[in-house]
Amino acid sequence: MIGDGTRCVRGGGHDEPAVGEPVHRGPVLTSTFHLGRPEQAEAGTDFYARADNPTWREFEAAVGALDGGECTVFPSGMAAVAAVLRAFAGRERGVLLPSDGYYVARLLADEELAPLGVPVAYCATAGDWARAIAAHRPGLVMLETPSNPGLEVCDVRAVAAAAHAAGAVVAVDNTTCTPLGQRPLELGADLAVASDTKALSGHGDLLLGHVSAADPVHHERIRGFRTRGGAIAGPMETWLALRGLGTLDLRLARQADNARALALALREVPGVRDVRWPGLHDDPSHALARTQMRRWNGVLRFTLPDVHAVSGLLARSTLVDSATSFGGLRTAADRRARWGDAVPDGLVRLSCGVEDTADLVEDVVGALSGR
Ligand SMILES: *Cc1c(COP(=O)(O)O)cnc(C)c1O
């Protein structure tokens, strides 16, 4: 089995390229394709770019191979989450979601699905999922692990087993890990969903998402929903994400190194509480995370006394951007209470970039220490 770096670089490529073909194919920017004469119609060829196009296929081949399933690309992470909810949460048996995951997924369920009569229920990521599944009998169980922003972890194998025993479809939002960090389909989930806006594309210059399915029937359902729903990714964004994917292994390695160094350093800084990163050997999530994550992620969180302390950090730091989103090249801090997450006012989600570790630690610790 070839390694992560090789798979990222070679993913989506052609096995036997023809002489004279470009080594790097650009995005295919066309809405429509030559059909030929009516009697020449051939199944499987491109005809209209809402249904399929060659740039999607390259991206989906690369990401699907990493996820271990069949991939469908979407124009954002939320478009991918929405497709899963609309395709698998019905009026009889609704959806069970994490109460502490990405907040827009909750808004989507509460504001768009519940009014249509779809039952919506919640369970904390680190809570008792078997009990919640037994109580609510959902048709779809959606997990997010590690969760954003809390970095809590749940046991994908155990929840998938309980959900399947109750006849539910299981989806895992894998955004914080990327397919290099965790393979939900190998852990028993039916669907892996992600915002590729974050580390997967990795340069903070586009929005994109995807759903990978283990079962071809689920895959066809998701694809059909995309074609009919019409929320489709632009070939330019898809191609940029494919280009970013080539360096995912390198970026993730540096981001995780930076996260580890910062997590350890932050614990020693007075006034910094509750530093959480699953890669720390004594983090409450570590023992479980080790059994299902393949490598560590680049996002951590900690809590400062109040908003002013967060302001001070941002004012004194020269390497930390005040920005939301994560997984990019530059380190960014986001005070999550600002977005309405039910977290302390001073909780900071820190997305570690690919700066030199020593520079970053000196900058952040210095800024927190009033230097
Ligand atoms: C950002 C994010 C999303 C939404 O993705 P967009 O690309 O912003 O639409 C969904 N889930 C998680 C865990 C995220 O972090």
Side-chain angles (χ1 to χ4, degrees), residues 75-81 101-105 144 146-148 173-176 193-198 206-209 325-326 349:
S76 69
M78 279 316 301
V81 171
Y102 185 61
Y103 71 111
V104 185
E144 188 181 308
S147 61
N148 167 21
D173 186 326
N174 203 37
T175 303
T176 56
V193 190
S195 167
D196 302 327
T197 309
K198 316 289 170 51
L206 60 91
L207 278 87
L208 207 75
S325 196
F326 58 89
R349 185 188 69 200

Side-chain angles (χ1 to χ4, degrees), residues 317-361:
S317 159
T318 54
L319 295 182
V320 179
D321 290 331
S322 171
T324 191
S325 196
F326 58 89
L329 300 180
R330 295 161 64 115
T331 295
D334 193 13
R335 193 179 70 82
R336 292 304 296 179
R338 156 186 218 141
W339 307 110
D341 279 345
V343 296
D345 260 0
L347 184 139
V348 174
R349 185 188 69 200
L350 194 76
S351 167
C352 299
V354 299
E355 300 88 351
D356 288 302
T357 306
D359 293 342
L360 192 59
V361 171

Side-chain angles (χ1 to χ4, degrees), residues 165-324:
V169 169
V170 179
V172 177
D173 186 326
N174 203 37
T175 303
T176 56
C177 288
T178 82
L180 298 195
Q182 183 167 266
R183 303 242 161 93
L185 304 184
E186 288 177 5
L187 300 171
D190 301 296
L191 304 166
V193 190
S195 167
D196 302 327
T197 309
K198 316 289 170 51
L200 190 137
S201 66
H203 293 72
D205 49 10
L206 60 91
L207 278 87
L208 207 75
H210 79 268
V211 180
S212 288
D215 180 338
V217 174
H218 292 160
H219 173 65
E220 281 310 315
R221 182 84 184 84
I222 291 288
R223 270 191 95 79
F225 181 83
R226 179 179 67 184
T227 306
R228 292 185 289 272
I232 58 157
M236 191 69 188
E237 283 75 12
T238 308
W239 174 74
L240 278 171
L242 192 60
R243 193 166 81 157
L245 176 66
T247 55
L248 175 59
D249 176 55
L250 299 173
R251 289 182 283 105
L252 207 57
R254 175 62 71 82
Q255 288 170 343
D257 283 351
N258 284 349
R260 175 181 300 282
L262 271 177
L264 290 170
L266 285 167
R267 285 174 155 191
E268 308 303 321
V269 178
V272 178
R273 286 185 299 114
D274 214 14
V275 179
R276 292 289 305 273
W277 181 64
L280 289 176
H281 70 92
D282 54 354
D283 187 277
S285 298
H286 182 75
L288 177 55
R290 277 182 67 143
T291 67
Q292 59 188 20
M293 286 177 70
R294 302 174 71 246
R295 55 196 278 181
W296 303 119
N297 60 309
V299 179
L300 61 105
R301 58 119 157 150
F302 55 91
T303 303
L304 299 181
D306 52 27
V307 183
H308 304 294
V310 180
S311 286
L313 162 66
L314 292 169
R316 287 187 291 270
S317 159
T318 54
L319 295 182
V320 179
D321 290 331
S322 171
T324 191

Side-chain angles (χ1 to χ4, degrees), residues 14-23:
H14 325 276
D15 292 336
E16 281 182 48
V19 173
E21 251 185 49
V23 172

